[in-house]
Amino acid sequence: MSSRVLVALRIAAPRERVFEAFIREIHLWWRHNPLFAFAHRTDGRLAIEPQLGGSFTETYPDGTSFEIGRVTAWEPGARLVLSWRQASFADDQLTEVEVRFETAGAETRVTVEHRGWDGIPAAHVAKHGMPNALFLQRHGQWWQALMGELKAEAERGP
Amino acid sequence: MRIYALKTGAMDELKSWLEQTERLWTAQLASLKAHVEGGE
């Protein structure tokens, strides 16, 4: 089973401009998120090499870099597909991000589809910890499931 | 019974992770929008 996430938004600018900003200015608008840290740190600068097969990388202040993925579809002004792999992913886990740019009146509709989620990056949880809120939420769900099981077991009787 | 509970747990984890991924992209696109519309 493979799951996907779909998010769309309208931006008041021509699609060529939005595409350009998405690619060449990603280091200016990207917000670092500890849960989605590519290589267990959040002080890197993102860059997408603007061509088919180009590298999608994060470069750190010490000069090292991590390759998140590659440009696997390149249709300037219209569509972009990037492979996406975080360092915490299992060896066989690779996801894909498709970004579509469509004219919607005077605006551009940007759609992001992040697919290929067969599971969560388990190593991330095991080795690097989850942010507290999310950990507690998951822990709560675990207890809820456990209690449900207990309830079912109890109601079934001996 | 136990196997069923384990599978349910795994699905909850994946669902929670997908929700986080959706939040990530919602925030990123909002930031892209602010960047482009702000004329930076």
Side-chain angles (χ1 to χ4, degrees):
Chain A
M1 193 205 77
S2 178
S3 304
R4 62 182 190 148
V5 164
L6 200 67
V7 175
L9 183 83
R10 281 186 179 213
I11 296 178
R15 59 188 175 93
E16 290 76 12
R17 167 63 193 132
V18 179
F19 185 88
E20 182 82 2
F22 192 98
I23 309 291
R24 294 183 192 272
E25 296 159 25
I26 191 166
H27 61 287
L28 295 175
W29 59 264
W30 188 263
R31 297 278 171 259
H32 288 288
N33 179 324
L35 190 57
F36 290 87
F38 297 106
H40 317 309
R41 47 195 291 183
T42 54
D43 57 350
R45 177 188 165 113
L46 290 190
I48 300 170
E49 204 182 332
Q51 61 184 38
L52 185 64
S55 273
F56 174 29
T57 53
E58 186 171 52
T59 302
Y60 307 99
D62 62 8
T64 60
S65 66
F66 176 78
E67 186 175 85
I68 302 153
R70 294 267 175 167
V71 176
T72 58
W74 177 253
E75 296 168 30
R79 183 172 163 263
L80 169 78
V81 180
L82 299 165
S83 50
W84 173 297
R85 201 178 175 286
Q86 294 167 220
S88 56
F89 281 18
D91 289 344
D92 60 349
Q93 187 174 22
L94 179 73
T95 64
E96 185 175 69
V97 176
E98 176 170 1
V99 193
R100 293 188 295 274
F101 303 81
E102 297 156 293
T103 301
E107 300 186 327
T108 299
R109 179 183 165 86
V110 185
T111 306
V112 169
E113 187 176 329
H114 198 157
R115 59 197 175 218
W117 292 108
D118 295 311
I120 65 162
H124 185 105
V125 183
K127 293 181 189 167
H128 309 287
M130 303 292 297
N132 276 345
L134 183 61
F135 175 78
L136 289 174
Q137 185 191 338
R138 291 220 180 133
H139 201 67
Q141 286 167 353
W142 180 72
W143 274 109
Q144 207 171 357
L146 207 61
M147 287 302 155
E149 187 184 359
L150 181 65
K151 183 177 183 321
E153 200 75 68
E155 288 175 355
R156 193 177 298 131
Chain B
M1 184 61 201
R2 285 184 189 282
I3 292 167
Y4 174 77
L6 271 175
K7 280 183 180 167
T8 303
M11 287 306 293
D12 281 351
E13 278 224 325
L14 178 60
K15 195 178 161 210
S16 173
W17 181 262
L18 292 173
E19 281 167 10
Q20 293 296 323
T21 305
E22 189 178 331
R23 269 181 231 167
L24 169 87
W25 282 109
T26 301
Q28 299 300 356
L29 286 186
S31 179
L32 173 67
K33 180 181 168 76
H35 171 73
V36 172
E37 293 182 355
E40 285 171 50

